[in-house]
Amino acid sequence: MTYFAITRLQILSKTLFRVFSREHLDAIAAFVCAVLVLLGWIALQLGWLGLGLLLLPAAYVIGGYESAKEGLTTLWQEKELDVDLLMIVAALGAAGLGLWRREYYLIVDGAVLILIFAISGALESYAMQRTERDIRSLMSLSSDTARVLDRGQEKLVDVDRLQVGDRILVKPGELIPTDGIIQEGYSTLNEAAITGESLPVEKTVGHEVFAGTLNGNGALILQVHQPPESSLIQRIIQLVKQAQTEAPPSQMFIERFERGYAKVIVLAGILLAILPPFIWGWNWETTIYRALIFLVVASPCALMAAIMPTLLSGIANGARQGILFKSGAQLEMMGKVRAIAFDKTGTLTTGKLAVTEVIPTTGHSVDEVLQIAAALEAYSEHPIGQAIVTAAQQKQIEFLPAVGVYSHPGQGIIGEVCQQQVLVGKADFLIQNSKCKMQNLELTNNSPVRAGLADSLTTQGGDFWSNPAPTTPELSQRLETEGKTVIWVARESDIIGIVAVADTLRPKAAEVIKHLKQLGIEETIVLTGDNQRTAARIARSVGIDRVYAELLPEDKVKVIRQLQSQYQTVAMVGDGINDAPALAQASVGIAMGVTGSDVALETADLVLMADRLEKLVVAIHLGRRSQRIIKQNVTFALSFIVLLLIANFTGNMNMPIGVIGHEGSTVIVTLSGLRLLRNW
């Protein structure tokens, strides 16, 4: 290995170490503190007093540095006492008493107190590292440069240097660099990242396009109509920042409680160290001894252990079942959810188009319609065409050769099959390009698909077998009303049938909504960028209460805020980039793990790893169990602290008994929290 290779390896190792130590500094400190406490305890047990008194102070410094820093900072800047400072005072008090009375095990007790808080601080640090990753993922959606047309010449310009009025060229397959208005060209754009629309959207002159969306197979010339920093993707980034920096009410309550608790304990400790000699005639040694016992037994370790082990157990239980909680606080929050909002595409549905009905006209068959349509659509890359081809393949239909295939974007496709002209597309496209007539087309009576469709329509309140039977145009309108895309198939001037294509529901979506309502969820809502008809059809199919359609990401945030004002605790389930602001705003953001975008996964508080929507019910059960167990543990911890304090005031407890009572109550509530490891 050459000198330069060794040097590069050393530089790489140092860089990796700096990155690792920066991201895991609190965890490393907690681990080193634990090792030092263990070694110090062993040294004392073996009688190596000097080594023990060297290791344990090191554990105090390494494990308690951050807590002492935060406690002193809060005291200095905000003139407030918090639990961090109280813990340091209690630990130092135990250590001082141990040195004074030469009862060195008390130093170990103080070190254990510090270790508990060091571990808690490490867990909190990991939870707080998400925001920066969220923003980086969002920023990667937009292009850094744009192709600006200047006097017929093309040049690359940084997006942040674009001016209103600039003309931009976007080639096929490229990301739209900034919001703009189309001046020339036609294309289909994939806007799923922004609006959640399941189908590519056709765009032509005069239409607005958004940064971060993906251009299809047509070249576009755009005119910048607003500064790049005002683009939709930039507004999404700002919404995520704002929502994630807003502290939830429960967190604010906990902080107020901790500071109030610390004030009471410190004030009581001071009074206990001063007044007894004057009131009860205690000597000063006894007074100080009782005051230090008070600081130890009043330390809120059992109170803090009442929460974290429970939440960590719930997180572990959820992980075993494919539910990833990113924050223990959000596990608890899941138990308080009263309303749940769902994105449609990729959440309630699979996000993949599929043929739902094939309805032939009189004299034709289902297989014939699919065979003719697939012959042309095999040459198309449009998602609808791919769905038709897939349906034909699943029925093992033989593909016929087609020639002269030509696509009319946004309208249909035309070609020759077996020396006959075939058209597949919208009704208007067939009328304009052939002699097809749409009136009074009858459905074939012996189609098995027709029978299945009849059941479907009857279930939805229709009367498929009414006399006379509906014509094909009437049925087409009915299918479109249900939010399905209808494709007409013609051979020469003969309409041979229609094909209905739609996004398919997740198999257990309706069952999940039913179980949620049985659990007491007060309202379920759909928030989607899709059109109103499609959203209403999906909501009706699964039993959802309310629908908000044709929403931009910022609109979803507004709806979530409205729901929070009504229900306080609201969950949002989504999978797309467009869902990220709503996921961040919601009390609990829930992302689909397989279909979910990177931004949605990073922003969400909870991820359903296998895309199994039914695990949402399990998550709510875990949240509610965690609430019950935490309430039980908090009640026990506070009650035990009160008992220890009473025993201390009456003089019936010495320091070892106080430490045993303190540590014992901590162990009990910890074991109680582990109950959440069991499945419900």
Side-chain angles (χ1 to χ4, degrees):
M1 185 178 293
T2 65
Y3 170 78
F4 293 104
I6 295 174
T7 303
R8 290 177 61 187
L9 183 60
Q10 291 174 339
I11 294 173
L12 178 62
S13 300
K14 292 179 180 178
T15 302
L16 291 175
F17 176 77
R18 284 198 299 270
V19 172
F20 178 83
S21 61
R22 182 172 61 251
E23 293 183 355
H24 307 283
L25 183 61
D26 291 338
I28 293 173
F31 175 76
V32 173
C33 177
V35 172
L36 291 174
V37 171
L38 177 62
L39 294 178
W41 176 77
I42 293 174
L44 292 180
Q45 294 299 310
L46 296 176
W48 299 341
L49 182 60
L51 180 60
L53 294 181
L54 178 65
L55 294 173
L56 290 174
Y60 274 67
V61 173
I62 294 174
Y65 174 78
E66 285 298 326
S67 294
K69 179 181 176 182
E70 291 180 11
L72 291 174
T73 300
T74 302
L75 179 63
W76 178 260
Q77 295 181 352
E78 302 179 25
K79 304 299 187 291
E80 293 282 354
L81 294 170
D82 63 8
V83 173
D84 291 303
L85 188 59
L86 176 61
M87 182 276 300
I88 294 296
V89 172
L92 293 178
L97 184 61
L99 290 173
W100 179 28
R101 298 176 62 90
R102 296 185 180 181
E103 297 175 355
Y104 301 112
Y105 62 86
L106 296 179
I107 305 177
V108 178
D109 291 333
V112 170
L113 297 181
I114 287 181
L115 175 60
I116 292 173
F117 272 76
I119 294 173
S120 177
L123 295 174
E124 181 180 357
S125 176
Y126 282 125
M128 294 299 293
Q129 289 176 5
R130 294 204 317 268
T131 300
E132 184 179 352
R133 294 199 303 268
D134 296 343
I135 304 305
R136 284 202 306 266
S137 298
L138 282 170
M139 292 298 293
S140 67
L141 296 174
S142 56
S143 176
D144 295 329
T145 59
R147 303 177 189 273
V148 175
L149 297 177
D150 184 14
R151 300 175 184 177
Q153 299 294 319
E154 175 187 326
K155 60 180 181 180
L156 287 178
V157 175
D158 291 339
V159 170
D160 55 8
R161 296 179 59 189
L162 293 174
Q163 302 292 325
V164 175
D166 284 348
R167 287 164 56 85
I168 299 173
L169 172 64
V170 182
K171 295 183 178 181
E174 291 184 340
L175 283 174
I176 304 296
T178 189
D179 291 6
I181 304 296
I182 298 178
Q183 299 295 305
E184 298 178 27
Y186 167 88
S187 186
T188 56
L189 272 67
N190 183 347
E191 294 189 337
I194 300 298
T195 66
E197 175 65 51
S198 54
L199 294 175
V201 180
E202 299 167 10
K203 298 282 186 176
T204 187
V205 176
H207 288 165
E208 183 179 10
V209 296
F210 303 118
T213 58
L214 184 64
N215 187 21
N217 54 7
L220 300 174
I221 295 180
L222 316 177
Q223 185 176 50
V224 180
H225 68 299
Q226 62 181 359
E229 60 269 18
S230 300
S231 67
L232 187 59
I233 189 66
Q234 293 299 325
R235 296 205 302 271
I236 292 176
I237 293 172
Q238 294 304 317
L239 288 170
V240 172
K241 286 181 177 179
Q242 178 182 349
Q244 288 196 330
T245 54
E246 293 177 355
S250 59
Q251 180 178 343
M252 297 173 64
F253 170 78
I254 291 174
E255 291 177 354
R256 289 196 302 268
F257 175 81
E258 286 181 350
R259 292 179 180 181
Y261 180 87
K263 288 179 180 178
V264 171
I265 297 304
V266 170
L267 179 60
I270 293 173
L271 293 176
L272 185 60
I274 297 175
L275 296 181
F278 303 100
I279 297 176
W280 296 300
W282 293 2
N283 58 49
W284 286 106
E285 182 177 346
T286 301
T287 299
I288 294 174
Y289 182 58
R290 293 296 174 195
L292 291 175
I293 294 177
F294 172 82
L295 289 177
V296 172
V297 300
S299 180
C301 288
L303 189 61
M304 304 307 291
I307 298 174
M308 284 309 300
T310 303
L311 298 181
L312 292 176
S313 298
I315 291 173
N317 191 338
R320 289 203 310 264
Q321 302 187 64
I323 306 168
L324 177 60
F325 289 96
K326 293 187 179 180
S327 167
Q330 297 308 326
L331 169 60
E332 185 179 5
M333 192 69 71
M334 277 298 295
K336 302 176 182 178
V337 169
R338 298 173 55 194
I340 302 180
F342 296 86
D343 174 49
K344 181 185 73 66
T345 305
T347 303
L348 293 174
T349 68
T350 61
K352 298 179 181 179
L353 293 180
V355 172
T356 58
E357 286 94 13
V358 179
I359 302 98
T361 56
T362 301
H364 303 284
S365 67
V366 172
D367 287 358
E368 181 184 6
V369 174
L370 272 180
Q371 186 178 48
I372 296 299
L376 265 61
E377 295 292 4
Y379 294 88
S380 172
E381 294 183 356
H382 197 282
I384 290 178
Q386 294 174 357
I388 292 175
V389 171
T390 300
Q393 291 173 337
Q394 291 174 346
K395 290 180 67 65
Q396 298 182 344
I397 294 175
E398 180 183 358
F399 278 65
L400 297 175
V403 296
V405 179
Y406 183 78
S407 175
H408 294 257
Q411 296 295 317
I413 190 169
I414 188 171
E416 289 188 9
V417 179
C418 299
Q419 299 181 344
Q420 291 180 305
Q421 185 187 54
V422 173
L423 299 93
V424 181
K426 295 180 178 179
D428 292 342
F429 172 72
L430 270 65
I431 293 174
Q432 294 170 5
N433 291 276
S434 71
K435 298 178 181 179
C436 296
K437 295 182 180 180
M438 300 296 172
Q439 289 79 18
N440 300 323
L441 292 171
E442 295 182 357
L443 303 174
T444 181
N445 288 322
N446 57 2
S447 168
V449 175
R450 182 177 192 247
L453 182 63
D455 294 338
S456 173
L457 293 176
T458 301
T459 301
Q460 296 171 11
D463 184 7
F464 185 87
W465 296 112
S466 61
N467 194 10
T471 63
T472 307
E474 291 171 346
L475 181 57
S476 172
Q477 294 176 1
R478 187 180 298 178
L479 291 171
E480 289 177 344
T481 301
E482 297 172 7
K484 300 177 182 178
T485 301
V486 176
I487 306 299
W488 292 75
V489 184
R491 183 169 51 198
E492 295 295 342
S493 61
D494 180 22
I495 300 293
I496 65 174
I498 59 177
V499 179
V501 178
D503 195 0
T504 54
L505 280 173
R506 289 189 180 275
K508 295 187 177 181
E511 182 181 341
V512 169
I513 301 301
K514 179 181 177 181
H515 285 164
L516 290 176
K517 292 182 177 180
Q518 291 173 347
L519 283 173
I521 298 299
E522 298 177 34
E523 187 165 19
T524 52
I525 307 98
V526 168
L527 307 181
T528 180
D530 271 358
N531 62 75
Q532 181 69 34
R533 289 186 307 181
T534 302
R537 176 179 65 86
I538 294 296
R540 186 169 57 250
S541 299
V542 300
I544 281 183
D545 303 316
R546 205 190 317 178
V547 176
Y548 293 89
E550 301 177 13
L551 301 179
L552 291 174
E554 53 196 2
D555 299 325
K556 292 185 178 182
V557 173
K558 292 178 182 177
V559 175
I560 291 294
R561 286 175 177 165
Q562 293 172 3
L563 293 171
Q564 286 175 322
S565 66
Q566 182 179 0
Y567 295 106
Q568 287 76 52
T569 308
V570 177
M572 169 70 190
V573 189
D575 73 315
I577 296 162
N578 60 296
D579 299 319
L583 291 173
Q585 176 63 41
S587 308
V588 184
I590 304 168
M592 308 300 285
V594 176
T595 59
S597 67
D598 290 341
V599 177
L601 296 176
E602 290 291 342
T603 305
D605 304 296
L606 186 158
V607 178
L608 305 180
M609 298 301 295
D611 273 10
R612 293 177 61 186
L613 198 59
E614 61 270 23
K615 291 300 182 180
L616 181 59
V617 178
V618 179
I620 291 178
H621 271 288
L622 282 174
R624 292 185 176 179
R625 286 183 63 202
S626 71
Q627 273 195 296
R628 290 195 301 269
I629 293 175
I630 286 174
K631 289 177 180 177
Q632 294 168 2
N633 288 351
V634 168
T635 300
F636 174 82
L638 290 175
S639 300
F640 212 83
I641 288 175
V642 170
L643 289 176
L644 291 175
L645 292 177
I646 292 174
N648 183 44
F649 282 130
T650 58
N652 295 324
M653 183 174 63
N654 56 25
M655 179 62 73
I657 296 299
V659 172
I660 291 173
H662 172 268
E663 301 297 339
S665 62
T666 303
V667 170
I668 290 173
V669 296
T670 301
L671 293 177
S672 175
L674 298 181
R675 290 183 291 160
L676 206 56
L677 288 171
R678 296 180 299 175
N679 293 336
W680 54 277

